[in-house]
Amino acid sequence: MRYLLMLCGSVGDDALDTDITEPCRAWGEEMTRRGLRLNGMGLRPPESATTVRVRGGEALLTDGPFAETKEQIGGINIIECETREQAVEAARTHPWAAIGTIEVRELL
């Protein structure tokens, strides 16, 4: 089964300002070596987003994130695991879990 790990954090949280890049890269390399990680990447800040809605055939574009919330998605990983428990364990070992939140969802 394939799972999406969504790396979430609160905008303005000082913990997210830490240099987490190298530990995340090392985690990704290890998960890839073990055959679990299929793909992954970080995302630019929410302020760089464009939100697209189509209503009545007209595209409505808004600068910035879709939701007015402090917590935003900062990156994603796609992993393949035999069980949900294995996916949760992979998320638990991700460095991001120590400073933010990781949402684990099975892909259809």
Side-chain angles (χ1 to χ4, degrees), residues 64-105:
F66 169 73
E68 292 295 325
T69 179
K70 286 190 167 232
E71 189 161 88
Q72 299 291 333
I73 299 170
I76 62 166
N77 281 280
I78 299 172
I79 60 174
E80 189 157 7
C81 300
E82 293 181 19
T83 65
R84 180 174 197 79
E85 290 75 19
Q86 187 181 24
V88 169
E89 178 61 20
R92 187 191 68 75
T93 65
H94 195 294
W96 191 269
I99 64 165
T101 304
I102 300 179
E103 185 172 328
V104 179
R105 287 199 199 176

PDB file of all heavy atoms in Angstrom, residues 64-105:
ATOM      1  N   GLY A  64      -1.925  33.138  -2.247  1.00  0.00           N
ATOM      2  CA  GLY A  64      -1.808  32.617  -0.892  1.00  0.00           C
ATOM      3  C   GLY A  64      -2.503  31.274  -0.731  1.00  0.00           C
ATOM      4  O   GLY A  64      -3.088  30.730  -1.664  1.00  0.00           O
ATOM      5  N   PRO A  65      -2.441  30.733   0.476  1.00  0.00           N
ATOM      6  CA  PRO A  65      -2.982  29.390   0.733  1.00  0.00           C
ATOM      7  C   PRO A  65      -4.505  29.368   0.707  1.00  0.00           C
ATOM      8  O   PRO A  65      -5.158  30.387   0.862  1.00  0.00           O
ATOM      9  CB  PRO A  65      -2.455  29.068   2.135  1.00  0.00           C
ATOM     10  CG  PRO A  65      -2.238  30.400   2.774  1.00  0.00           C
ATOM     11  CD  PRO A  65      -1.832  31.328   1.659  1.00  0.00           C
ATOM     12  N   PHE A  66      -5.042  28.168   0.530  1.00  0.00           N
ATOM     13  CA  PHE A  66      -6.491  27.967   0.482  1.00  0.00           C
ATOM     14  C   PHE A  66      -7.132  28.292   1.815  1.00  0.00           C
ATOM     15  O   PHE A  66      -8.130  28.983   1.904  1.00  0.00           O
ATOM     16  CB  PHE A  66      -6.806  26.518   0.088  1.00  0.00           C
ATOM     17  CG  PHE A  66      -8.234  26.140   0.271  1.00  0.00           C
ATOM     18  CD1 PHE A  66      -9.209  26.608  -0.584  1.00  0.00           C
ATOM     19  CD2 PHE A  66      -8.617  25.333   1.324  1.00  0.00           C
ATOM     20  CE1 PHE A  66     -10.536  26.277  -0.413  1.00  0.00           C
ATOM     21  CE2 PHE A  66      -9.943  24.975   1.502  1.00  0.00           C
ATOM     22  CZ  PHE A  66     -10.904  25.453   0.631  1.00  0.00           C
ATOM     23  N   ALA A  67      -6.568  27.767   2.890  1.00  0.00           N
ATOM     24  CA  ALA A  67      -7.179  27.894   4.208  1.00  0.00           C
ATOM     25  C   ALA A  67      -6.519  29.002   5.019  1.00  0.00           C
ATOM     26  O   ALA A  67      -5.315  29.190   4.966  1.00  0.00           O
ATOM     27  CB  ALA A  67      -7.065  26.572   4.966  1.00  0.00           C
ATOM     28  N   GLU A  68      -7.325  29.722   5.763  1.00  0.00           N
ATOM     29  CA  GLU A  68      -6.821  30.711   6.708  1.00  0.00           C
ATOM     30  C   GLU A  68      -6.528  29.987   8.018  1.00  0.00           C
ATOM     31  O   GLU A  68      -7.357  29.917   8.902  1.00  0.00           O
ATOM     32  CB  GLU A  68      -7.859  31.822   6.916  1.00  0.00           C
ATOM     33  CG  GLU A  68      -8.078  32.687   5.702  1.00  0.00           C
ATOM     34  CD  GLU A  68      -6.846  33.480   5.322  1.00  0.00           C
ATOM     35  OE1 GLU A  68      -6.082  33.905   6.226  1.00  0.00           O
ATOM     36  OE2 GLU A  68      -6.630  33.681   4.124  1.00  0.00           O
ATOM     37  N   THR A  69      -5.366  29.393   8.085  1.00  0.00           N
ATOM     38  CA  THR A  69      -4.982  28.618   9.258  1.00  0.00           C
ATOM     39  C   THR A  69      -3.510  28.805   9.528  1.00  0.00           C
ATOM     40  O   THR A  69      -2.755  29.150   8.620  1.00  0.00           O
ATOM     41  CB  THR A  69      -5.311  27.121   9.045  1.00  0.00           C
ATOM     42  OG1 THR A  69      -4.901  26.386  10.190  1.00  0.00           O
ATOM     43  CG2 THR A  69      -4.639  26.572   7.818  1.00  0.00           C
ATOM     44  N   LYS A  70      -3.109  28.589  10.751  1.00  0.00           N
ATOM     45  CA  LYS A  70      -1.692  28.716  11.082  1.00  0.00           C
ATOM     46  C   LYS A  70      -0.903  27.498  10.615  1.00  0.00           C
ATOM     47  O   LYS A  70       0.260  27.604  10.306  1.00  0.00           O
ATOM     48  CB  LYS A  70      -1.513  28.896  12.583  1.00  0.00           C
ATOM     49  CG  LYS A  70      -1.898  30.265  13.057  1.00  0.00           C
ATOM     50  CD  LYS A  70      -1.478  30.456  14.483  1.00  0.00           C
ATOM     51  CE  LYS A  70      -1.585  31.904  14.843  1.00  0.00           C
ATOM     52  NZ  LYS A  70      -0.385  32.426  15.423  1.00  0.00           N
ATOM     53  N   GLU A  71      -1.546  26.320  10.578  1.00  0.00           N
ATOM     54  CA  GLU A  71      -0.820  25.108  10.187  1.00  0.00           C
ATOM     55  C   GLU A  71      -0.891  24.932   8.672  1.00  0.00           C
ATOM     56  O   GLU A  71      -1.964  25.004   8.082  1.00  0.00           O
ATOM     57  CB  GLU A  71      -1.396  23.881  10.891  1.00  0.00           C
ATOM     58  CG  GLU A  71      -0.521  22.662  10.678  1.00  0.00           C
ATOM     59  CD  GLU A  71      -0.771  21.568  11.678  1.00  0.00           C
ATOM     60  OE1 GLU A  71      -1.648  20.741  11.413  1.00  0.00           O
ATOM     61  OE2 GLU A  71      -0.091  21.558  12.706  1.00  0.00           O
ATOM     62  N   GLN A  72       0.268  24.725   8.071  1.00  0.00           N
ATOM     63  CA  GLN A  72       0.381  24.570   6.633  1.00  0.00           C
ATOM     64  C   GLN A  72       1.220  23.348   6.306  1.00  0.00           C
ATOM     65  O   GLN A  72       2.012  22.893   7.121  1.00  0.00           O
ATOM     66  CB  GLN A  72       1.043  25.817   6.021  1.00  0.00           C
ATOM     67  CG  GLN A  72       0.287  27.091   6.249  1.00  0.00           C
ATOM     68  CD  GLN A  72      -1.019  27.149   5.481  1.00  0.00           C
ATOM     69  OE1 GLN A  72      -1.161  26.531   4.434  1.00  0.00           O
ATOM     70  NE2 GLN A  72      -1.973  27.896   5.994  1.00  0.00           N
ATOM     71  N   ILE A  73       1.066  22.833   5.081  1.00  0.00           N
ATOM     72  CA  ILE A  73       1.858  21.703   4.624  1.00  0.00           C
ATOM     73  C   ILE A  73       3.200  22.225   4.128  1.00  0.00           C
ATOM     74  O   ILE A  73       3.267  23.114   3.296  1.00  0.00           O
ATOM     75  CB  ILE A  73       1.131  20.932   3.510  1.00  0.00           C
ATOM     76  CG1 ILE A  73      -0.197  20.390   4.030  1.00  0.00           C
ATOM     77  CG2 ILE A  73       2.003  19.792   2.983  1.00  0.00           C
ATOM     78  CD1 ILE A  73      -1.092  19.820   2.968  1.00  0.00           C
ATOM     79  N   GLY A  74       4.285  21.650   4.666  1.00  0.00           N
ATOM     80  CA  GLY A  74       5.625  22.091   4.304  1.00  0.00           C
ATOM     81  C   GLY A  74       6.346  21.144   3.363  1.00  0.00           C
ATOM     82  O   GLY A  74       7.351  21.478   2.776  1.00  0.00           O
ATOM     83  N   GLY A  75       5.822  19.923   3.214  1.00  0.00           N
ATOM     84  CA  GLY A  75       6.451  18.948   2.334  1.00  0.00           C
ATOM     85  C   GLY A  75       5.659  17.655   2.337  1.00  0.00           C
ATOM     86  O   GLY A  75       4.728  17.480   3.123  1.00  0.00           O
ATOM     87  N   ILE A  76       6.035  16.760   1.426  1.00  0.00           N
ATOM     88  CA  ILE A  76       5.351  15.475   1.316  1.00  0.00           C
ATOM     89  C   ILE A  76       6.366  14.370   1.056  1.00  0.00           C
ATOM     90  O   ILE A  76       7.461  14.622   0.559  1.00  0.00           O
ATOM     91  CB  ILE A  76       4.302  15.464   0.185  1.00  0.00           C
ATOM     92  CG1 ILE A  76       4.982  15.705  -1.178  1.00  0.00           C
ATOM     93  CG2 ILE A  76       3.208  16.479   0.442  1.00  0.00           C
ATOM     94  CD1 ILE A  76       4.107  15.395  -2.362  1.00  0.00           C
ATOM     95  N   ASN A  77       5.978  13.166   1.416  1.00  0.00           N
ATOM     96  CA  ASN A  77       6.728  11.964   1.049  1.00  0.00           C
ATOM     97  C   ASN A  77       5.708  10.905   0.672  1.00  0.00           C
ATOM     98  O   ASN A  77       4.642  10.796   1.304  1.00  0.00           O
ATOM     99  CB  ASN A  77       7.569  11.441   2.223  1.00  0.00           C
ATOM    100  CG  ASN A  77       8.841  12.222   2.389  1.00  0.00           C
ATOM    101  OD1 ASN A  77       9.803  11.986   1.680  1.00  0.00           O
ATOM    102  ND2 ASN A  77       8.835  13.167   3.305  1.00  0.00           N
ATOM    103  N   ILE A  78       6.014  10.135  -0.350  1.00  0.00           N
ATOM    104  CA  ILE A  78       5.194   8.992  -0.729  1.00  0.00           C
ATOM    105  C   ILE A  78       6.000   7.751  -0.415  1.00  0.00           C
ATOM    106  O   ILE A  78       7.133   7.600  -0.879  1.00  0.00           O
ATOM    107  CB  ILE A  78       4.802   9.039  -2.218  1.00  0.00           C
ATOM    108  CG1 ILE A  78       3.970  10.304  -2.486  1.00  0.00           C
ATOM    109  CG2 ILE A  78       4.039   7.780  -2.609  1.00  0.00           C
ATOM    110  CD1 ILE A  78       3.673  10.562  -3.937  1.00  0.00           C
ATOM    111  N   ILE A  79       5.417   6.897   0.407  1.00  0.00           N
ATOM    112  CA  ILE A  79       6.103   5.674   0.813  1.00  0.00           C
ATOM    113  C   ILE A  79       5.226   4.471   0.483  1.00  0.00           C
ATOM    114  O   ILE A  79       4.013   4.599   0.310  1.00  0.00           O
ATOM    115  CB  ILE A  79       6.469   5.688   2.317  1.00  0.00           C
ATOM    116  CG1 ILE A  79       5.219   5.815   3.184  1.00  0.00           C
ATOM    117  CG2 ILE A  79       7.448   6.821   2.613  1.00  0.00           C
ATOM    118  CD1 ILE A  79       5.501   5.697   4.679  1.00  0.00           C
ATOM    119  N   GLU A  80       5.855   3.324   0.374  1.00  0.00           N
ATOM    120  CA  GLU A  80       5.124   2.078   0.141  1.00  0.00           C
ATOM    121  C   GLU A  80       5.453   1.124   1.277  1.00  0.00           C
ATOM    122  O   GLU A  80       6.625   0.826   1.523  1.00  0.00           O
ATOM    123  CB  GLU A  80       5.493   1.466  -1.201  1.00  0.00           C
ATOM    124  CG  GLU A  80       4.594   0.305  -1.554  1.00  0.00           C
ATOM    125  CD  GLU A  80       4.550   0.029  -3.043  1.00  0.00           C
ATOM    126  OE1 GLU A  80       5.308   0.649  -3.813  1.00  0.00           O
ATOM    127  OE2 GLU A  80       3.735  -0.818  -3.432  1.00  0.00           O
ATOM    128  N   CYS A  81       4.412   0.685   1.979  1.00  0.00           N
ATOM    129  CA  CYS A  81       4.579  -0.156   3.158  1.00  0.00           C
ATOM    130  C   CYS A  81       3.588  -1.306   3.103  1.00  0.00           C
ATOM    131  O   CYS A  81       2.537  -1.212   2.473  1.00  0.00           O
ATOM    132  CB  CYS A  81       4.328   0.654   4.428  1.00  0.00           C
ATOM    133  SG  CYS A  81       5.440   2.049   4.626  1.00  0.00           S
ATOM    134  N   GLU A  82       3.915  -2.380   3.785  1.00  0.00           N
ATOM    135  CA  GLU A  82       3.009  -3.528   3.843  1.00  0.00           C
ATOM    136  C   GLU A  82       1.811  -3.264   4.745  1.00  0.00           C
ATOM    137  O   GLU A  82       0.729  -3.793   4.505  1.00  0.00           O
ATOM    138  CB  GLU A  82       3.775  -4.757   4.318  1.00  0.00           C
ATOM    139  CG  GLU A  82       4.812  -5.230   3.314  1.00  0.00           C
ATOM    140  CD  GLU A  82       5.555  -6.460   3.785  1.00  0.00           C
ATOM    141  OE1 GLU A  82       5.064  -7.169   4.696  1.00  0.00           O
ATOM    142  OE2 GLU A  82       6.634  -6.725   3.232  1.00  0.00           O
ATOM    143  N   THR A  83       2.002  -2.461   5.784  1.00  0.00           N
ATOM    144  CA  THR A  83       0.922  -2.195   6.731  1.00  0.00           C
ATOM    145  C   THR A  83       0.883  -0.719   7.108  1.00  0.00           C
ATOM    146  O   THR A  83       1.884   0.005   6.955  1.00  0.00           O
ATOM    147  CB  THR A  83       1.105  -2.998   8.037  1.00  0.00           C
ATOM    148  OG1 THR A  83       2.301  -2.527   8.690  1.00  0.00           O
ATOM    149  CG2 THR A  83       1.210  -4.492   7.774  1.00  0.00           C
ATOM    150  N   ARG A  84      -0.255  -0.287   7.631  1.00  0.00           N
ATOM    151  CA  ARG A  84      -0.389   1.077   8.143  1.00  0.00           C
ATOM    152  C   ARG A  84       0.589   1.301   9.303  1.00  0.00           C
ATOM    153  O   ARG A  84       1.164   2.377   9.443  1.00  0.00           O
ATOM    154  CB  ARG A  84      -1.818   1.333   8.588  1.00  0.00           C
ATOM    155  CG  ARG A  84      -2.042   2.718   9.118  1.00  0.00           C
ATOM    156  CD  ARG A  84      -3.520   2.980   9.417  1.00  0.00           C
ATOM    157  NE  ARG A  84      -3.765   4.392   9.543  1.00  0.00           N
ATOM    158  CZ  ARG A  84      -3.896   5.259   8.548  1.00  0.00           C
ATOM    159  NH1 ARG A  84      -3.817   4.843   7.305  1.00  0.00           N
ATOM    160  NH2 ARG A  84      -4.111   6.531   8.771  1.00  0.00           N
ATOM    161  N   GLU A  85       0.764   0.284  10.121  1.00  0.00           N
ATOM    162  CA  GLU A  85       1.676   0.394  11.256  1.00  0.00           C
ATOM    163  C   GLU A  85       3.104   0.700  10.789  1.00  0.00           C
ATOM    164  O   GLU A  85       3.816   1.480  11.412  1.00  0.00           O
ATOM    165  CB  GLU A  85       1.655  -0.885  12.105  1.00  0.00           C
ATOM    166  CG  GLU A  85       0.367  -1.098  12.873  1.00  0.00           C
ATOM    167  CD  GLU A  85      -0.807  -1.574  12.006  1.00  0.00           C
ATOM    168  OE1 GLU A  85      -0.598  -2.092  10.879  1.00  0.00           O
ATOM    169  OE2 GLU A  85      -1.951  -1.393  12.449  1.00  0.00           O
ATOM    170  N   GLN A  86       3.519   0.076   9.690  1.00  0.00           N
ATOM    171  CA  GLN A  86       4.850   0.334   9.138  1.00  0.00           C
ATOM    172  C   GLN A  86       4.936   1.781   8.637  1.00  0.00           C
ATOM    173  O   GLN A  86       5.955   2.439   8.819  1.00  0.00           O
ATOM    174  CB  GLN A  86       5.151  -0.655   8.011  1.00  0.00           C
ATOM    175  CG  GLN A  86       6.568  -0.583   7.503  1.00  0.00           C
ATOM    176  CD  GLN A  86       6.841  -1.567   6.366  1.00  0.00           C
ATOM    177  OE1 GLN A  86       5.936  -1.990   5.652  1.00  0.00           O
ATOM    178  NE2 GLN A  86       8.092  -1.935   6.197  1.00  0.00           N
ATOM    179  N   ALA A  87       3.863   2.282   8.031  1.00  0.00           N
ATOM    180  CA  ALA A  87       3.843   3.667   7.558  1.00  0.00           C
ATOM    181  C   ALA A  87       3.920   4.641   8.733  1.00  0.00           C
ATOM    182  O   ALA A  87       4.646   5.646   8.682  1.00  0.00           O
ATOM    183  CB  ALA A  87       2.582   3.930   6.739  1.00  0.00           C
ATOM    184  N   VAL A  88       3.191   4.342   9.800  1.00  0.00           N
ATOM    185  CA  VAL A  88       3.226   5.196  10.985  1.00  0.00           C
ATOM    186  C   VAL A  88       4.617   5.171  11.617  1.00  0.00           C
ATOM    187  O   VAL A  88       5.128   6.205  12.056  1.00  0.00           O
ATOM    188  CB  VAL A  88       2.132   4.766  11.994  1.00  0.00           C
ATOM    189  CG1 VAL A  88       2.320   5.441  13.337  1.00  0.00           C
ATOM    190  CG2 VAL A  88       0.747   5.059  11.421  1.00  0.00           C
ATOM    191  N   GLU A  89       5.246   4.017  11.638  1.00  0.00           N
ATOM    192  CA  GLU A  89       6.601   3.913  12.183  1.00  0.00           C
ATOM    193  C   GLU A  89       7.576   4.741  11.346  1.00  0.00           C
ATOM    194  O   GLU A  89       8.458   5.414  11.882  1.00  0.00           O
ATOM    195  CB  GLU A  89       7.050   2.452  12.236  1.00  0.00           C
ATOM    196  CG  GLU A  89       8.458   2.253  12.738  1.00  0.00           C
ATOM    197  CD  GLU A  89       8.708   2.756  14.164  1.00  0.00           C
ATOM    198  OE1 GLU A  89       7.749   2.933  14.934  1.00  0.00           O
ATOM    199  OE2 GLU A  89       9.884   2.986  14.497  1.00  0.00           O
ATOM    200  N   ALA A  90       7.419   4.720  10.021  1.00  0.00           N
ATOM    201  CA  ALA A  90       8.280   5.542   9.165  1.00  0.00           C
ATOM    202  C   ALA A  90       8.075   7.018   9.483  1.00  0.00           C
ATOM    203  O   ALA A  90       9.043   7.784   9.571  1.00  0.00           O
ATOM    204  CB  ALA A  90       7.984   5.258   7.691  1.00  0.00           C
ATOM    205  N   ALA A  91       6.830   7.432   9.679  1.00  0.00           N
ATOM    206  CA  ALA A  91       6.536   8.826  10.025  1.00  0.00           C
ATOM    207  C   ALA A  91       7.127   9.177  11.388  1.00  0.00           C
ATOM    208  O   ALA A  91       7.653  10.270  11.588  1.00  0.00           O
ATOM    209  CB  ALA A  91       5.030   9.067  10.016  1.00  0.00           C
ATOM    210  N   ARG A  92       7.047   8.249  12.320  1.00  0.00           N
ATOM    211  CA  ARG A  92       7.558   8.487  13.670  1.00  0.00           C
ATOM    212  C   ARG A  92       9.069   8.766  13.658  1.00  0.00           C
ATOM    213  O   ARG A  92       9.569   9.562  14.437  1.00  0.00           O
ATOM    214  CB  ARG A  92       7.270   7.295  14.568  1.00  0.00           C
ATOM    215  CG  ARG A  92       7.617   7.537  16.039  1.00  0.00           C
ATOM    216  CD  ARG A  92       7.579   6.283  16.857  1.00  0.00           C
ATOM    217  NE  ARG A  92       8.639   5.344  16.513  1.00  0.00           N
ATOM    218  CZ  ARG A  92       9.924   5.486  16.854  1.00  0.00           C
ATOM    219  NH1 ARG A  92      10.325   6.528  17.533  1.00  0.00           N
ATOM    220  NH2 ARG A  92      10.819   4.580  16.496  1.00  0.00           N
ATOM    221  N   THR A  93       9.792   8.126  12.734  1.00  0.00           N
ATOM    222  CA  THR A  93      11.245   8.299  12.673  1.00  0.00           C
ATOM    223  C   THR A  93      11.673   9.507  11.843  1.00  0.00           C
ATOM    224  O   THR A  93      12.860   9.838  11.802  1.00  0.00           O
ATOM    225  CB  THR A  93      11.929   7.039  12.108  1.00  0.00           C
ATOM    226  OG1 THR A  93      11.522   6.844  10.750  1.00  0.00           O
ATOM    227  CG2 THR A  93      11.590   5.812  12.948  1.00  0.00           C
ATOM    228  N   HIS A  94      10.730  10.159  11.162  1.00  0.00           N
ATOM    229  CA  HIS A  94      11.061  11.327  10.337  1.00  0.00           C
ATOM    230  C   HIS A  94      11.425  12.494  11.258  1.00  0.00           C
ATOM    231  O   HIS A  94      10.726  12.762  12.237  1.00  0.00           O
ATOM    232  CB  HIS A  94       9.864  11.697   9.460  1.00  0.00           C
ATOM    233  CG  HIS A  94      10.218  12.620   8.348  1.00  0.00           C
ATOM    234  ND1 HIS A  94      10.638  13.913   8.559  1.00  0.00           N
ATOM    235  CD2 HIS A  94      10.229  12.430   7.012  1.00  0.00           C
ATOM    236  CE1 HIS A  94      10.878  14.486   7.403  1.00  0.00           C
ATOM    237  NE2 HIS A  94      10.642  13.613   6.446  1.00  0.00           N
ATOM    238  N   PRO A  95      12.513  13.215  10.977  1.00  0.00           N
ATOM    239  CA  PRO A  95      12.925  14.344  11.814  1.00  0.00           C
ATOM    240  C   PRO A  95      11.835  15.411  11.982  1.00  0.00           C
ATOM    241  O   PRO A  95      11.763  16.081  13.004  1.00  0.00           O
ATOM    242  CB  PRO A  95      14.143  14.928  11.089  1.00  0.00           C
ATOM    243  CG  PRO A  95      14.670  13.803  10.267  1.00  0.00           C
ATOM    244  CD  PRO A  95      13.471  12.973   9.882  1.00  0.00           C
ATOM    245  N   TRP A  96      10.983  15.561  11.000  1.00  0.00           N
ATOM    246  CA  TRP A  96       9.927  16.576  11.058  1.00  0.00           C
ATOM    247  C   TRP A  96       8.965  16.315  12.221  1.00  0.00           C
ATOM    248  O   TRP A  96       8.407  17.255  12.794  1.00  0.00           O
ATOM    249  CB  TRP A  96       9.164  16.595   9.738  1.00  0.00           C
ATOM    250  CG  TRP A  96       8.257  17.772   9.619  1.00  0.00           C
ATOM    251  CD1 TRP A  96       6.944  17.842   9.998  1.00  0.00           C
ATOM    252  CD2 TRP A  96       8.582  19.057   9.097  1.00  0.00           C
ATOM    253  NE1 TRP A  96       6.436  19.086   9.735  1.00  0.00           N
ATOM    254  CE2 TRP A  96       7.431  19.851   9.184  1.00  0.00           C
ATOM    255  CE3 TRP A  96       9.741  19.604   8.570  1.00  0.00           C
ATOM    256  CZ2 TRP A  96       7.397  21.176   8.757  1.00  0.00           C
ATOM    257  CZ3 TRP A  96       9.699  20.915   8.143  1.00  0.00           C
ATOM    258  CH2 TRP A  96       8.535  21.688   8.243  1.00  0.00           C
ATOM    259  N   ALA A  97       8.786  15.057  12.584  1.00  0.00           N
ATOM    260  CA  ALA A  97       7.852  14.709  13.665  1.00  0.00           C
ATOM    261  C   ALA A  97       8.261  15.359  14.986  1.00  0.00           C
ATOM    262  O   ALA A  97       7.414  15.583  15.850  1.00  0.00           O
ATOM    263  CB  ALA A  97       7.760  13.195  13.818  1.00  0.00           C
ATOM    264  N   ALA A  98       9.537  15.683  15.145  1.00  0.00           N
ATOM    265  CA  ALA A  98      10.025  16.289  16.384  1.00  0.00           C
ATOM    266  C   ALA A  98       9.738  17.786  16.455  1.00  0.00           C
ATOM    267  O   ALA A  98       9.790  18.371  17.537  1.00  0.00           O
ATOM    268  CB  ALA A  98      11.529  16.049  16.533  1.00  0.00           C
ATOM    269  N   ILE A  99       9.422  18.414  15.320  1.00  0.00           N
ATOM    270  CA  ILE A  99       9.185  19.865  15.327  1.00  0.00           C
ATOM    271  C   ILE A  99       7.813  20.251  14.795  1.00  0.00           C
ATOM    272  O   ILE A  99       7.376  21.381  14.972  1.00  0.00           O
ATOM    273  CB  ILE A  99      10.264  20.614  14.520  1.00  0.00           C
ATOM    274  CG1 ILE A  99      10.207  20.234  13.048  1.00  0.00           C
ATOM    275  CG2 ILE A  99      11.634  20.396  15.117  1.00  0.00           C
ATOM    276  CD1 ILE A  99      10.968  21.175  12.139  1.00  0.00           C
ATOM    277  N   GLY A 100       7.142  19.333  14.118  1.00  0.00           N
ATOM    278  CA  GLY A 100       5.839  19.620  13.526  1.00  0.00           C
ATOM    279  C   GLY A 100       4.917  18.427  13.669  1.00  0.00           C
ATOM    280  O   GLY A 100       4.989  17.680  14.645  1.00  0.00           O
ATOM    281  N   THR A 101       4.092  18.231  12.675  1.00  0.00           N
ATOM    282  CA  THR A 101       3.125  17.143  12.648  1.00  0.00           C
ATOM    283  C   THR A 101       3.245  16.428  11.307  1.00  0.00           C
ATOM    284  O   THR A 101       3.469  17.067  10.291  1.00  0.00           O
ATOM    285  CB  THR A 101       1.692  17.701  12.770  1.00  0.00           C
ATOM    286  OG1 THR A 101       1.607  18.492  13.948  1.00  0.00           O
ATOM    287  CG2 THR A 101       0.655  16.605  12.814  1.00  0.00           C
ATOM    288  N   ILE A 102       3.074  15.118  11.323  1.00  0.00           N
ATOM    289  CA  ILE A 102       3.042  14.357  10.068  1.00  0.00           C
ATOM    290  C   ILE A 102       1.705  13.639   9.993  1.00  0.00           C
ATOM    291  O   ILE A 102       1.358  12.857  10.879  1.00  0.00           O
ATOM    292  CB  ILE A 102       4.205  13.346   9.974  1.00  0.00           C
ATOM    293  CG1 ILE A 102       5.537  14.086  10.043  1.00  0.00           C
ATOM    294  CG2 ILE A 102       4.077  12.520   8.683  1.00  0.00           C
ATOM    295  CD1 ILE A 102       6.749  13.191   9.980  1.00  0.00           C
ATOM    296  N   GLU A 103       0.962  13.928   8.943  1.00  0.00           N
ATOM    297  CA  GLU A 103      -0.308  13.245   8.709  1.00  0.00           C
ATOM    298  C   GLU A 103      -0.053  12.089   7.749  1.00  0.00           C
ATOM    299  O   GLU A 103       0.534  12.293   6.678  1.00  0.00           O
ATOM    300  CB  GLU A 103      -1.323  14.216   8.131  1.00  0.00           C
ATOM    301  CG  GLU A 103      -2.706  13.631   7.964  1.00  0.00           C
ATOM    302  CD  GLU A 103      -3.740  14.642   7.569  1.00  0.00           C
ATOM    303  OE1 GLU A 103      -3.637  15.825   7.976  1.00  0.00           O
ATOM    304  OE2 GLU A 103      -4.658  14.255   6.811  1.00  0.00           O
ATOM    305  N   VAL A 104      -0.486  10.908   8.110  1.00  0.00           N
ATOM    306  CA  VAL A 104      -0.290   9.700   7.292  1.00  0.00           C
ATOM    307  C   VAL A 104      -1.623   9.343   6.661  1.00  0.00           C
ATOM    308  O   VAL A 104      -2.611   9.131   7.361  1.00  0.00           O
ATOM    309  CB  VAL A 104       0.212   8.523   8.169  1.00  0.00           C
ATOM    310  CG1 VAL A 104       0.400   7.267   7.328  1.00  0.00           C
ATOM    311  CG2 VAL A 104       1.498   8.888   8.897  1.00  0.00           C
ATOM    312  N   ARG A 105      -1.656   9.267   5.320  1.00  0.00           N
ATOM    313  CA  ARG A 105      -2.875   8.901   4.604  1.00  0.00           C
ATOM    314  C   ARG A 105      -2.577   7.845   3.549  1.00  0.00           C
ATOM    315  O   ARG A 105      -1.612   7.989   2.787  1.00  0.00           O
ATOM    316  CB  ARG A 105      -3.484  10.108   3.891  1.00  0.00           C
ATOM    317  CG  ARG A 105      -4.126  11.095   4.784  1.00  0.00           C
ATOM    318  CD  ARG A 105      -5.061  11.943   3.972  1.00  0.00           C
ATOM    319  NE  ARG A 105      -5.367  13.175   4.657  1.00  0.00           N
ATOM    320  CZ  ARG A 105      -6.101  14.126   4.117  1.00  0.00           C
ATOM    321  NH1 ARG A 105      -6.572  13.995   2.893  1.00  0.00           N
ATOM    322  NH2 ARG A 105      -6.363  15.210   4.801  1.00  0.00           N
TER     323      ARG A 105
END
